[in-house]
Amino acid sequence: MDKVIKVGMADLKTTKSPGILITLGLGSCIGICLYDPVTKVSGMAHIMLPSSKSIKNNKNIYKFADTGIEKLINEMVAIGAVKRRMISKIAGGAQMFSFSSKNDIMKIGERNAIAVKKILKEFNIPIKAEDTGGNYGRTIEFHSLNGKLLVKTIGHGVREI
Amino acid sequence: MSDNLDNMDSLVLDVLKEVGNIGAGNATTALAKMLNKKIDMNVPKVNVLDFNDVADLIGGPETLVCSIFFKIEGDLNGSIMFMLEIESSKILINLLLNGYETDKIDDFAKSALNEIGNILSGAYISSLSGLTGLNMKISVPSLAIDMAGAILSVPAIEFGKVSDKILIIETEFLEGKDNVRGYFFLVPEYGSYDVLLKSLGVTDNG
């Protein structure tokens, strides 16, 4: 049986093939999956907020896109991944509740997605696939055997990206 | 600073707990009036939990839940969310619509749930307003039926700006043999914690 490792909210985990990383019920948060196709080292981070720089209480580096992605890269490199080979797949960033006004709270999923893409670009890690936005939750499973990301929803189907 | 929930002894926490108790009590009374039935309530449980433990309280991050969300605007800004397990929401629909049985939550049932959310959250906020003398109103409701983890990400992110924990107020309504468990999440916006404390005459030297 393949090893399944759960990633919680404001959390990250790494594994080697054939390990599977999963995060359950992603909403406005983003699940970031990084993969080195040669060593098959994979990692998943579940971030909640775009940037540690705009928040005073920023000690938990796993919570933010900027510090979380950096930590994820370092942990993967520590177990044999090579950064310049890394690719990424991202999911989440939904807007669970909709309002007509442009309230900041409501747009957090979209802001998270924008921040994650910007940071991945800064690290020169290409985004091979994404499933972000919408108004529904996602459970994601990342397979280090082949780099496939499975996205499951309630009422919006299952897809592999 | 009072913008910090991590310290369990924090004054903010005590205040929010007390507000939670009073708010939930008022909400129950409002529900009883609306249904014209005797509704009992167990003493609300106010908990401060780590992000990842909240979903487990409800049955895990993939548990299907129904949630009604409101923005709070006025002297204090923030949001309030009322969340129910899907079975509990069906019991409430049945009570409100006098025996309306629904397997799938249809549009009619959704509008009933919005109305219930409105009454409960309105009662909650009006008791908070009475207690603090702060002027606040709630927005129109927004309803979501989805995985608990996904829905909880909304208050978690808001609390996440000040803390790694979530304040959750668990309320149990009892009507006859029916038992409805609901959860309130009252989340002041960053910067509104001080407003809340000051309004209650609490000065925080921590």
Side-chain angles (χ1 to χ4, degrees), chain A residues 7-11 23 25 29 46 48 62, chain B residues 51-52 149-150 152-153 156-157 166:
Chain A
V7 181
M9 210 180 264
D11 186 16
T23 200
C29 301
H46 180 160
M48 302 174 74
Y62 301 98
Chain B
F51 293 144
N52 290 301
L152 285 168
S153 74
I157 285 170
I166 295 185

Side-chain angles (χ1 to χ4, degrees), chain B:
Chain B
M1 255 329 278
S2 40
D3 275 334
N4 183 8
L5 279 180
D6 290 343
N7 179 0
M8 296 292 281
D9 301 323
S10 132
L11 217 43
V12 184
L13 202 59
D14 287 342
V15 168
L16 287 178
K17 279 184 173 177
E18 192 50 32
V19 165
N21 270 321
I22 296 167
N26 253 25
T28 309
T29 311
L31 182 67
K33 272 192 196 147
M34 182 188 188
L35 300 175
N36 200 17
K37 286 194 168 103
K38 186 176 175 297
I39 305 276
D40 288 320
M41 181 189 77
N42 287 336
V43 177
K45 282 185 230 157
V46 185
N47 278 314
V48 178
L49 298 172
D50 282 336
F51 293 144
N52 290 301
D53 295 338
V54 179
D56 289 336
L57 187 73
I58 288 125
E62 288 189 300
T63 307
L64 191 63
V65 297
C66 166
S67 194
I68 307 136
F69 183 96
F70 303 84
K71 284 180 290 180
I72 303 169
E73 276 161 359
D75 296 336
L76 183 140
N77 293 302
S79 57
I80 184 165
M81 188 173 95
F82 181 63
M83 186 165 110
L84 294 154
E85 282 159 60
I86 209 76
E87 287 313 313
S88 283
S89 69
K90 285 180 186 166
I91 294 171
L92 270 186
I93 292 165
N94 195 289
L95 284 174
L96 182 72
L97 302 175
N98 248 333
Y100 185 80
E101 294 279 353
T102 177
D103 237 11
K104 198 172 168 289
I105 304 217
D106 56 20
D107 285 347
F108 189 46
K110 278 182 187 166
S111 77
L113 284 170
N114 270 333
E115 196 45 36
I116 291 169
N118 220 348
I119 300 282
L120 292 176
S121 300
Y124 197 115
I125 291 305
S126 83
S127 71
L128 179 59
S129 185
L131 197 68
T132 57
L134 294 173
N135 186 18
M136 52 190 113
K137 62 177 175 60
I138 59 171
S139 67
V140 293
S142 175
L143 179 120
I145 295 170
D146 212 310
M147 303 179 204
I151 284 175
L152 285 168
S153 74
V154 178
I157 285 170
E158 275 311 297
F159 275 123
K161 292 176 183 171
V162 296
S163 168
D164 286 344
K165 296 185 190 303
I166 295 185
L167 183 90
I168 173 170
I169 300 134
E170 184 181 344
T171 321
E172 215 169 3
F173 308 114
L174 311 160
E175 195 277 329
K177 59 177 177 16
D178 289 326
N179 181 335
V180 174
R181 191 176 300 137
Y183 304 88
F184 283 105
F185 299 85
L186 173 73
V187 197
E189 218 167 71
Y190 192 71
S192 278
Y193 289 94
D194 279 337
V195 176
L196 182 62
L197 285 182
K198 261 185 213 136
S199 71
L200 294 164
V202 181
T203 46
D204 183 11
N205 300 318

Side-chain angles (χ1 to χ4, degrees), chain A residues 100-111:
Chain A
S100 50
S101 78
K102 299 182 210 70
N103 190 297
D104 205 34
I105 304 177
M106 295 300 115
K107 297 275 182 203
I108 188 71
E110 192 185 324
R111 282 171 48 220

Side-chain angles (χ1 to χ4, degrees), chain A residues 2-3 5 14-21 34-43 76 141-149:
Chain A
D2 296 342
K3 195 166 75 162
I5 303 165
T14 59
T15 190
K16 291 179 179 175
S17 181
I20 297 168
L21 297 162
L34 300 185
Y35 188 58
D36 173 351
V38 176
T39 55
K40 296 186 190 285
V41 167
S42 61
M76 287 172 66
E141 264 184 40
F142 191 55
H143 295 253
S144 54
L145 182 67
N146 50 19
K148 295 234 163 93
L149 181 66

